[in-house]
Amino acid sequence: QMNANDCHDPPKYWTIHGLWPDRAEDCNRTWHFNVTEIKDLLSDMRHYWPDVLHSSLNRTQFWKHEWDKHGTCAATLEVLNSQRKYFGKAIELYQHVDLNGCLLKAGIKPSSSYYKMTAIKEALTRFYGVTPKIQCLPPEEGEKAQTIGQIEFCFTKELQLVSCTALEDGSSPVQAHLKLGTSELSVCNDTLPTYYPSEVQ
């Protein structure tokens, strides 16, 4: 995966994938991404929202995709109604949630031994008071463990944290476009041992 995608030195911390409205019918395909509108955010963007798959380009491809597909829909909310607000608010929410700090405090860190998915879930729910949606890569052939791949937090339109359990009918926007090679992320299986890798092999 890394070789095929020119991925170098992937970060050793959780980064942002995107900020997605649950329903995406109000998008404006003519509202084009313009990186100059977020130039004051660029150092934060490169740190918290890096494009690890297209590192040799000007690194805006991922952000453009997220804006075109999700940002133009999210912009129906006044608090997100410009590129500057959309990207700035996503970074603010990321810092507020502080997933990296929370997992460390709960003693959950990248490791070569396995975790129980229920233990990870319980720790997050205890910490946040809401249930996030944890997604995994299913076990590869001949393996027994799933690999933790993405942790999705849900917010109300007022951007307050809310449990994601109501969205678990498969209608989540992530299912539509997130494919990692041939393996697809899906909601983790509570009974499988879970691998939280320290290095991408």
Side-chain angles (χ1 to χ4, degrees):
Q1 290 278 322
M2 286 166 66
N3 295 342
N5 287 302
D6 187 32
C7 172
H8 300 294
D9 306 319
K12 291 186 167 60
Y13 51 88
W14 290 94
T15 60
I16 300 172
H17 182 162
L19 180 63
W20 305 312
D22 193 35
R23 292 188 173 67
E25 59 265 22
D26 296 313
C27 309
N28 180 352
R29 294 283 170 219
T30 62
W31 192 351
H32 297 300
F33 176 74
N34 178 0
V35 75
T36 59
E37 291 188 31
I38 56 167
K39 58 179 185 291
D40 64 315
L41 293 174
L42 286 179
S43 67
D44 278 351
M45 292 286 289
R46 288 190 192 105
H47 184 73
Y48 300 122
W49 201 329
D51 184 341
V52 293
L53 295 185
H54 310 103
S55 56
S56 58
L57 296 170
N58 59 6
R59 289 178 184 262
T60 60
Q61 197 171 326
F62 185 26
W63 306 334
K64 177 187 183 304
H65 168 79
E66 291 299 310
W67 170 255
D68 291 346
K69 189 171 173 90
H70 305 293
T72 58
C73 311
T76 54
L77 287 184
E78 194 180 330
V79 68
L80 301 172
N81 68 3
S82 69
Q83 287 176 46
R84 176 65 184 72
K85 286 185 187 174
Y86 172 74
F87 289 104
K89 184 54 79 175
I91 288 171
E92 209 180 290
L93 291 170
Y94 167 92
Q95 290 171 323
H96 170 69
V97 164
D98 184 23
L99 179 60
N100 295 291
C102 158
L103 286 169
L104 276 177
K105 282 189 192 104
I108 296 165
K109 42 188 182 286
S111 161
S112 54
S113 52
Y114 297 133
Y115 285 95
K116 282 197 165 84
M117 179 46 60
T118 46
I120 296 176
K121 246 188 208 160
E122 279 161 17
L124 291 172
T125 304
R126 204 166 54 240
F127 203 89
Y128 293 107
V130 297
T131 309
K133 181 171 175 179
I134 309 175
Q135 293 171 320
C136 289
L137 290 168
E140 306 230 329
E141 239 171 276
E143 290 186 354
K144 64 180 192 305
Q146 59 192 347
T147 303
I148 195 165
Q150 177 162 275
I151 297 180
E152 194 174 315
F153 287 89
C154 299
F155 297 89
T156 63
K157 281 187 174 171
E158 294 70 44
L159 302 182
Q160 299 299 309
L161 277 171
V162 65
S163 284
C164 296
T165 39
L167 301 171
E168 275 179 3
D169 56 3
S171 67
S172 161
V174 67
Q175 246 69 36
H177 80 282
L178 185 69
K179 282 196 168 80
L180 291 179
T182 51
S183 340
E184 219 165 323
L185 287 176
S186 53
V187 176
C188 301
N189 180 322
D190 277 351
T191 60
L192 285 179
T194 303
Y195 183 44
Y196 180 0
S198 51
E199 294 287 332
V200 181
Q201 296 304 325

